[in-house]
Amino acid sequence: MKKIAIKQLIEKIEGEAELDFTFNDGQIEDVKINFGFYRGIEEILRGKDARDALVISPRVCGICNHAHLIASVRAIEDGYRKAGTKVELSNKAKDIREFTLACELIQNHIKWLYMTILPQLESHVGQRSEENYAIKASYLSSTITKALAIFAGQWPHSSYAVVGGVSCDPTHVEVLQAESLVEESIRFFEQVVTGMHLEEYLSLESVTQLSQIGGDFGKLFYMLESNDMATIGKSHDRFIVFGESPVSSSAKSIGTQLSKVDVRYVQESTQENTMAKAVEYKKRLYEVGSLSRGMVAKRPIVKSLHKRYKDALMTRVFSRVDEVGVLLNICTNLLQNLSLDEPSCTLPLNKMALNFEGVGIVEAARGSLIHKTKVEEGKIVNYEIITPTQWNLSHGTKEEQGVAIKAMVGSKSIEEATFVFRTFDVCSVCTTQ
């Protein structure tokens, strides 16, 4: 059978992407992932005051903007330290930043589950239900975002993280309000998502215990298994995490072997027919995201699924929803241990570094997000944003196919391939900077 090339515009993602499929003998042999729109935030930042990045960079994206804010402020703080200016955050400021970032990840994961994965899977396998997934998505995402906004002032596009800490100074009443919203989110996770108490869910360690999970999460497993989709979508089985977070440390995992990483070996490169750049670590491609964090953290249930399914669809999808439970537990602990008597910001306004280079790294919803800034005489002369989607959706190299491309190769239809594609939760607006 001769080769057939088909172009497909993919919508209902964060932005748009075009997939160019090559079929051979009834299977997808190759895919090119093209992002046609250029945002130019990196160029906009050049010539601006170093701290303007705290206002401009969150505008990169409407759904993971908070991650860009934290990456940006960390880049400036890193630069200050390298220039000899002491920047030491209080535990209070660190915990508030971690809490708000965790809230953003939760709302991202839940929207992906209910607005993308469940409805698309039902459509693909022909098992449409009468569920109003949009209501479920908006309920939990709006609830947890209200908790975020108590500290950040607003969401999206908050700029409350400043060099040396945060601009908010929460009261005991506000912390109680946030705790109440987190508890409400946990109830939804227990009653609707998993059908289990959070504590009970987090104690699961083996793939043999998956049958205990009910709710929409259990329904998702059943559909994947019963439609022979649990084992498709395998890629290079290599994972990388650059950000330190309560979920995981920074490391790379090849299979189950962990080793240290150094951001200096991250390399971007341009690609043909797309505005998105590719990114590699020491000339190799790695998957980033919840699955990578679960593997690096050696979370027992994720390791158990990986042992059976490797980096297939089941493991990738499970890890994303599983992280919601992990993050809700982290949110509870952060609020319970928040030291309100500590200062919110420790750096005086008049204490500034004018010449520096810094790197800020955050574990965003889709994976490791890196901001690099170079400042001369207080003005940005170069700014680089390396996003998770660049890791997962590059075209690849001469030696190997991109992470998502390899996962799609072998699919028997465009519908199957695009579902695999969506499991990486594409964000094209973040990618074309």
Side-chain angles (χ1 to χ4, degrees):
M1 184 183 292
K2 70 176 184 177
K3 293 184 180 181
I4 301 172
I6 301 174
K7 290 181 181 286
Q8 181 85 9
L9 182 66
I10 306 298
E11 300 174 306
K12 294 185 179 179
I13 58 174
E14 187 69 8
E16 292 179 348
E18 182 185 82
L19 302 186
D20 295 350
F21 295 101
T22 300
F23 278 86
N24 192 10
D25 289 332
Q27 291 189 343
I28 290 174
E29 181 182 73
D30 191 23
V31 188
K32 286 292 181 287
I33 305 170
N34 305 320
F35 298 103
F37 298 100
Y38 179 60
R39 305 283 312 293
I41 299 294
E42 293 172 337
E43 289 189 32
I44 291 169
L45 284 165
R46 291 184 194 127
K48 300 289 194 299
D49 184 281
R51 293 173 298 179
D52 284 350
L54 303 179
V55 177
I56 295 172
S57 68
R59 270 69 184 175
V60 165
C61 182
I63 196 167
C64 51
N65 50 88
H66 203 68
H68 284 281
L69 169 64
I70 303 300
S72 185
V73 75
R74 286 179 178 173
I76 298 172
E77 289 169 346
D78 178 58
Y80 271 38
R81 292 186 187 102
K82 289 174 180 174
T85 301
K86 186 177 180 181
V87 181
E88 192 172 324
L89 274 66
S90 66
N91 288 327
K92 171 186 174 181
K94 291 176 185 177
D95 288 348
I96 289 174
R97 286 185 185 182
E98 290 293 354
F99 174 79
T100 53
L101 186 59
C103 290
E104 182 174 84
L105 265 67
I106 291 167
Q107 64 86 23
N108 264 269
H109 294 349
I110 285 297
K111 285 177 179 174
W112 170 82
L113 171 65
Y114 283 117
M115 302 295 286
T116 299
I117 292 302
L118 278 170
Q120 291 293 324
L121 180 58
E122 286 184 354
S123 176
H124 176 58
V125 302
Q127 295 180 17
R128 289 187 180 275
S129 70
E130 299 301 316
E131 290 276 7
N132 191 331
Y133 290 130
I135 292 293
K136 292 182 177 182
S138 62
Y139 179 82
L140 182 48
S141 62
S142 64
T143 301
I144 202 66
T145 302
K146 288 174 186 175
L148 185 163
I150 288 171
F151 300 94
Q154 67 177 52
W155 190 91
H157 306 145
S158 58
S159 296
Y160 87 106
V162 294
V163 180
V166 294
S167 61
C168 63
D169 194 17
T171 65
H172 287 287
V173 171
E174 287 172 323
V175 172
L176 286 171
Q177 290 173 333
E179 286 179 329
S180 177
L181 290 163
V182 171
E183 288 169 3
E184 187 177 344
S185 300
I186 289 173
R187 283 195 296 273
F188 182 91
F189 184 79
E190 292 176 337
Q191 296 171 10
V192 180
V193 180
T194 63
M196 299 177 71
H197 289 297
L198 180 60
E199 207 172 294
E200 184 184 4
Y201 171 78
L202 293 174
S203 70
L204 299 179
E205 295 188 350
S206 170
V207 68
T208 60
Q209 297 173 290
L210 290 184
S211 60
Q212 297 178 33
I213 301 174
D216 293 326
F217 203 9
K219 175 182 176 180
L220 178 58
F221 300 153
Y222 176 78
M223 282 195 289
L224 289 174
E225 285 282 15
S226 61
N227 290 281
D228 299 320
M229 296 183 68
T231 57
I232 67 172
K234 291 179 182 176
S235 190
H236 298 296
D237 206 28
R238 296 197 294 265
F239 314 101
I240 203 160
V241 176
F242 287 97
E244 296 283 344
S245 74
V247 174
S248 74
S249 58
S250 63
K252 63 185 175 75
S253 171
I254 300 178
T256 56
Q257 185 68 38
L258 296 186
S259 54
K260 294 181 180 179
V261 293
D262 187 335
V263 73
R264 291 177 297 177
Y265 295 104
V266 173
Q267 186 66 45
E268 279 189 299
S269 59
T270 57
Q271 304 179 107
E272 292 183 358
N273 303 316
T274 178
M275 300 306 297
K277 294 179 181 178
V279 62
E280 302 166 290
Y281 181 75
K282 293 186 176 181
K283 307 290 186 183
R284 301 188 82 182
L285 302 173
Y286 289 84
E287 181 171 342
V288 298
S290 300
L291 173 53
S292 298
R293 289 189 286 263
M295 290 298 293
V296 167
K298 294 193 173 183
R299 177 150 164 71
I301 187 69
V302 174
K303 284 179 62 183
S304 180
L305 264 91
H306 179 265
K307 185 176 181 180
R308 175 175 292 186
Y309 298 103
K310 299 302 180 186
D311 59 341
L313 213 65
M314 177 69 96
T315 319
R316 187 172 298 117
V317 170
F318 177 90
S319 300
R320 186 80 186 267
V321 184
D322 172 72
E323 199 170 65
V324 175
V326 173
L327 288 165
L328 285 168
N329 191 52
I330 288 169
C331 284
T332 299
N333 293 331
L334 286 169
L335 291 176
Q336 287 176 350
N337 297 301
L338 193 60
S339 301
L340 297 183
D341 56 340
E342 293 183 352
S344 295
C345 186
T346 56
L347 191 73
L349 285 174
N350 60 354
K351 196 170 184 180
M352 295 173 57
L354 297 177
N355 298 282
F356 60 85
E357 292 184 44
V359 179
I361 307 172
V362 163
E363 281 305 304
R366 293 158 185 81
S368 298
L369 170 66
I370 303 169
H371 280 220
K372 298 181 180 180
T373 185
K374 182 178 181 180
V375 175
E376 295 177 358
E377 298 302 320
K379 303 296 182 183
I380 298 169
V381 296
N382 191 56
Y383 205 97
E384 296 177 48
I385 301 171
I386 302 173
T387 67
T389 298
Q390 287 177 250
W391 289 96
N392 289 337
L393 271 67
S394 78
H395 287 175
T397 64
K398 291 179 181 179
E399 290 74 29
E400 57 187 12
Q401 294 171 313
V403 173
I405 291 172
K406 182 170 175 59
M408 287 186 280
V409 166
S411 297
K412 297 178 176 59
S413 67
I414 288 178
E415 291 74 22
E416 181 178 295
T418 54
F419 182 76
V420 172
F421 178 74
R422 292 178 195 278
T423 64
F424 290 94
D425 195 15
V426 185
C427 186
S428 70
V429 297
C430 277
T431 303
T432 52
Q433 301 308 322

